Amino acid sequence: MSSTIWSVDEHLEDILAAVKPLEPIELQLPDAQGCVLVEDVVVEIALPPFDNSSMDGYAVRVSDVEGATEKFPAVLTVIGDVAAGAAGLLGDQRVGPGEAARIMTGAPLPAGAEAVIPVEWTDGGTGEGPATSMRSHSDAPEGARGEVRVHRPVEARAHVRDRGSDVRPGDLALRAGSVVGPPQIGLLAAIGRSTVKVRPRPRVVVISTGSELVQPGEELTGGQIYDSNSFALTAAARDAGAIAYRVGAVTDDAQTLRATIEDQLIRADIVVTTGGVSVGAYDVVKEALSSVGDEDEPGSGVDFRKLAMQPGKPQGFGSIGPEHTPLLALPGNPVSSYVSFELFVRPAIRTLMGLPDVNRPTARATLVCDKALSSPDGRRQFLRGTYDAEAGTVTPVGGSGSHLIAALAQADALIVLPEDVTSAEPGTDTEVILIR
């Protein structure tokens, strides 16, 4: 372990300098969800690709329904149906003077028509009062023909979605650096793209260590606790945008841990361990990885450090294996491991993804508490809190103990007390890191 005391910023800078964005690949749309685009996507077709109706109703000429009322309706001859996806039902026939075509939502506006009359503004071809819905094709008088009475006038292009009103050929659909989410996938599909070039989601392997750890659902015996860290950190990795794999707790045996990590490298872009990095006699991660930098693998190795922070003083960082896969070794206390993940692992994951902004958002807030908060001199402390954006305040939750996971579950922010602050009075202006 290095004898130097590292600052939080120095440790993060060292990590981000070593972690590089993953190489881009071409993926099918369903597989690209959550990935980051590496190129601008330019539209090649108009969207919508043709003028179409936004209503079920009748395609008409504006002059034919001018002045129409329910008492004095405009009576038009229905020449046929236009259904969505069936533009050829009318053939070459145009909507001429005194004529209308039944049209369904999304169907192309037929030649000659200038607007669409909603069916509710007509009698629906029944010869009775205002219609509430379009009659089915089989129930309509003489199929789709006959007469329709229109009770209201309409302006040109009313209820018509114009060709290219969403995007036009040559428009920029999505910019490089955008995260591909459900709306982006919908847009890509709508403009005809079946694949897209992205940086893949990083694969993160989370390994917890400790012979005292038992998997949830099993029975505890003397001296045992449930393994919560691997579950929390795997979920946090997914929340950051990664594909995460959780490995069950490894016992306090250096050879077993080393073998487990090496087995996992085939599916890892980054490895995260939790526990075993302090100065105890059974700190297995440090024992297993301190000499991992083999001579035939230049550039590899894991450095174990002390950081000027609370919680999370012991940390490890380096690389392992022939591909020099980044490895971050976090403390074992639940709050320490989670805070460390937010400060160091999440930015590393976001860097692998190729995102420009890798850190959680921050804000300034007024401290609301009953008494002053103490903080160790020379350490940057991260306390759990609840942030009220509207009031601009933050309230501490629980104490400073690194084992208080219940308080962490209630928190949505980390209160940052700088290294030179030993006491923060109520009303102090503080920095908060927003973790939800």
Side-chain angles (χ1 to χ4, degrees):
M1 177 179 284
S2 171
S3 60
T4 304
I5 302 296
W6 290 61
S7 73
V8 172
D9 296 333
E10 288 169 341
H11 185 59
L12 179 59
E13 288 170 6
D14 190 45
I15 293 170
L16 298 187
V19 175
K20 305 301 179 186
L22 299 176
E23 289 297 315
I25 58 175
E26 192 84 15
L27 289 179
Q28 298 285 328
L29 291 190
D31 300 323
Q33 184 171 354
C35 298
V36 177
L37 286 172
V38 297
E39 61 184 0
D40 292 343
V41 176
V42 177
V43 179
E44 296 182 1
I45 67 167
L47 193 64
F50 47 82
D51 293 350
N52 69 89
S53 177
S54 65
M55 306 285 286
D56 292 331
Y58 292 85
V60 300
R61 292 157 50 99
V62 172
S63 60
D64 288 337
V65 295
E66 187 175 354
T69 65
E70 190 170 347
K71 186 175 182 179
F72 299 104
V75 181
L76 306 178
T77 301
V78 180
I79 62 172
D81 268 5
V82 186
L89 287 179
L90 292 180
D92 296 330
Q93 193 173 7
R94 296 173 58 89
V95 175
E99 295 179 338
R102 291 206 324 163
I103 191 167
M104 314 306 153
T105 301
L109 191 70
E114 299 168 329
V116 172
I117 294 280
V119 66
E120 293 85 355
W121 297 5
T122 76
D123 68 350
T126 63
E128 301 171 359
T132 57
S133 63
M134 186 76 75
R135 299 178 70 186
S136 69
H137 179 80
S138 59
D139 291 339
E142 301 180 25
R145 299 181 181 274
E147 289 185 341
V148 63
R149 286 164 174 77
V150 178
H151 303 148
R152 291 174 60 176
V154 73
E155 296 179 354
R157 312 303 295 175
H159 311 298
V160 174
R161 303 171 180 141
D162 293 328
R163 178 182 183 276
S165 57
D166 194 351
V167 291
R168 296 180 177 275
D171 285 353
L172 179 64
L174 296 172
R175 196 175 299 278
S178 302
V179 178
V180 181
Q184 290 74 30
I185 288 177
L187 173 57
L188 290 164
I191 62 176
R193 289 289 296 265
S194 62
T195 65
V196 67
K197 195 171 186 179
V198 296
R199 296 192 193 278
R201 293 169 62 197
R203 299 165 301 163
V204 178
V205 172
V206 177
I207 304 173
S208 57
T209 64
S211 298
E212 77 280 12
L213 298 178
V214 175
Q215 297 306 297
E218 298 178 6
E219 186 176 350
L220 292 178
T221 58
Q224 294 182 324
I225 62 172
Y226 287 120
D227 171 22
S228 62
N229 285 356
S230 67
F231 286 91
L233 299 187
T234 301
R238 289 177 181 144
D239 183 70
I243 298 170
Y245 303 104
R246 190 190 70 86
V247 179
V250 179
T251 58
D252 288 325
D253 179 80
Q255 185 175 352
T256 300
L257 175 61
R258 179 77 181 266
T260 300
I261 293 175
E262 289 175 346
D263 287 345
Q264 293 296 322
L265 291 179
I266 193 171
R267 63 173 181 174
D269 294 308
I270 187 169
V271 175
V272 178
T273 66
T274 172
V277 295
S278 191
V279 294
Y282 293 90
D283 286 327
V284 65
V285 175
K286 191 168 59 173
E287 181 184 349
L289 301 180
S290 289
S291 59
V292 77
D294 299 329
E295 291 183 3
D296 60 343
E297 296 173 9
S300 66
V302 178
D303 182 32
F304 291 89
R305 306 165 177 173
K306 295 179 181 178
L307 267 61
M309 65 181 286
Q310 185 183 33
K313 180 181 178 181
Q315 299 283 337
F317 171 66
S319 64
I320 185 171
E323 301 298 323
H324 304 311
T325 303
L327 183 145
L328 282 86
L330 310 184
N333 277 316
V335 176
S336 300
S337 69
Y338 189 80
V339 169
S340 299
F341 183 97
E342 287 290 339
L343 296 179
F344 307 123
V345 183
R346 183 183 174 91
I349 290 172
R350 309 286 279 181
T351 299
L352 288 169
M353 295 176 69
L355 287 166
D357 188 5
V358 300
N359 295 308
R360 287 282 200 184
T362 61
R364 303 297 300 185
T366 301
L367 188 60
V368 176
C369 52
D370 295 331
K371 60 181 181 179
L373 302 180
S374 61
S375 185
D377 186 28
R379 293 197 202 176
R380 189 179 303 180
Q381 182 163 220
F382 299 90
L383 298 169
R384 280 72 70 204
T386 55
Y387 173 63
D388 186 330
E390 186 174 340
T393 60
V394 65
T395 304
V397 178
S400 60
S402 57
H403 64 292
L404 300 174
I405 193 169
L408 180 62
Q410 300 172 32
D412 59 11
L414 297 177
I415 304 169
V416 183
L417 299 183
E419 291 85 344
D420 59 352
V421 171
T422 58
S423 180
E425 298 288 338
T428 299
D429 180 58
T430 62
E431 178 188 10
V432 295
I433 300 172
L434 308 180
I435 58 175
R436 288 190 193 169

